[in-house]
Every structure is written in C-alpha cells, then in structure tokens.
Amino acid sequence: MAAFSPTMAMNRVVHPLQRHIKEIKRRLIVVGATILVFFIVAFSYSGILIDWFKRPFKDDLIFYAPAEALFASIKIAFLAAVVLSVPMILYQFWKFIEPALLKQEQRWAVPLFFLGLGFFLLGLTFCNLIILPLVINFFVTFGMDRAITPELAVGTYVDFNVKFLLAFGFAFEIPLVLSLLARIGVVQAPMLIQYRKHAAMVALILSAVVTPDATLFTMLLMAVPLIILYEIGIWGAKMFGRPPQAVPKEPQDGQGVEESESSEIPDVKGS
C-alpha cells in the first residue's frame, strides 16, 4: 500500500473545493447573462417605469446633470432586470444545494421555488405600498412644513426607490435561506440564536449602508424588518432543520480491551 502523505490529504480537500468554486462561477455567469438580457429589454421601457415609480410624489421630477436622466434609466432598468431574473436566480441556487439534499428532500424543488418567488414579491409589495410612501411623504411633508418647495431630482429619487426595493425583496428571502441552510446542515438553530445580537448589529450596519440618507428613521424602517425576518428564520431552522447526528462515544483506555477479553472467556459455570 502507498503511504498516506499530507499532500494526499490536501488534495482531498482542495479538489472538492475547486469543483464547488467552478460550479458557483458557472451559475453566476448564467445569472449574470439572464440579468443582462432582461436589462436590455427593460431599458426601452425605463420611461414608463419612472412614471410608475413617481406615483407617491405628484409633482414632476427634474434633473440637474446632463447624464442624470440616463443613469436613472439605467438604475430602474437594472431593478426590473433583477426582478424578472429572480426565477432564474432561485433555480440556480436550488441546483447548487440540491446535491447536498436527500432524495425525499429534493422533491421540495417546486414548492420552494414558488415560495422563494412569493417571498421576494412580498418584500417588493411591502416596500412599495408601505415603506416607500411612508418615507417619501414623511420627508416631503417635513420640508413643506418649513415653507420649502420640494423639487426632487430623478437620479436621487430613482436611486432611493431602487435601493429600498432590492433590499426588501432579498431581505424577505432570509427565512427561506436560513431554513434551507439548516436543512442541509450548514447552520443550526442554536447557532443562529447564539449570534442573534450580531445579526441585529449587521442589520443596523446594512441599513446605514443601503439607505440613501442614513437617517435614524429610515435605518429603523429597514433594520426592524430585517431583525424580524431573522427571527422567523430561526423558527424555520427549528422546524425544518436537520437534527444533529449523535457522535459515538469513544471507549476509555483499556475498557474496550477488557470487554473483548471478557467476551472471549467461555462460561464454565455448571460444566
């Protein structure tokens, strides 16, 4: 037999990791190509999308820089492309984790696909109908109460909407993602509970980065739903997570030898 070397052990770790990295790259390329195709289509409808987005604000939007309207159209077309590409994103994510699931667990593909799509659309709807009108009306009314006439630039307005919508759309996937990761054994509910405070801190930091103005009001409007969704993810990990496998106890020194020797001694009583 060939002697076992550290190089062989390293190859056993590196080769599967390289395969996973290549698989991730391939699926990211597919997702990127899908987004690019939908972006080209959505860009031709960017004017209609901008008119639809400015519904909470009754006045016309303006632009100050020559290229501001162009960049606003690019951003809103990118948002539409991402939304239209969500089915492909979910499919590629599922195909990546599918080999780690059992045969009976792989039957969940179709229900989880529609569940993930529903969560994303629910996040968009919640943000568009509740969060964005609340935030826009709050800031516009705040300025008008101080005799300041609101004139919103199209670039700032679209950037504000796009960041909020994408953040809430993907944030509503947190419970589903945590439940799937718990099912394949990557995370467990006790670990998620242990890092609950860290998750709250990350939610506050992400809210400060994503929100355009980073005021306390808008930060809380985004951070609080993120924390609630994380708690729902913990519940999902408890309900659907794979139970940890019991680790067999190793026999104490000498105990196994004594048991094996005692089992070899025949019972001579009564002979």
Side-chain angles (χ1 to χ4, degrees), residues 93-94 97 101 108 112 175-185:
F93 176 74
W94 171 260
I97 67 171
L101 299 175
W108 302 348
L112 287 176
L176 180 62
V177 171
L178 292 180
S179 300
L180 285 175
L181 292 178
R183 189 64 190 177
I184 64 178

Side-chain angles (χ1 to χ4, degrees), residues 32-48:
T34 305
I35 293 176
L36 179 60
V37 171
F38 281 121
F39 171 80
I40 296 173
V41 176
F43 186 78
S44 59
Y45 297 95
S46 58
I48 299 175

Side-chain angles (χ1 to χ4, degrees), residues 255-267:
Q255 183 177 356
V257 177
E258 292 177 359
E259 291 179 355
S260 61
E261 290 179 352
S262 61
S263 61
E264 295 176 357
I265 300 175
D267 188 7

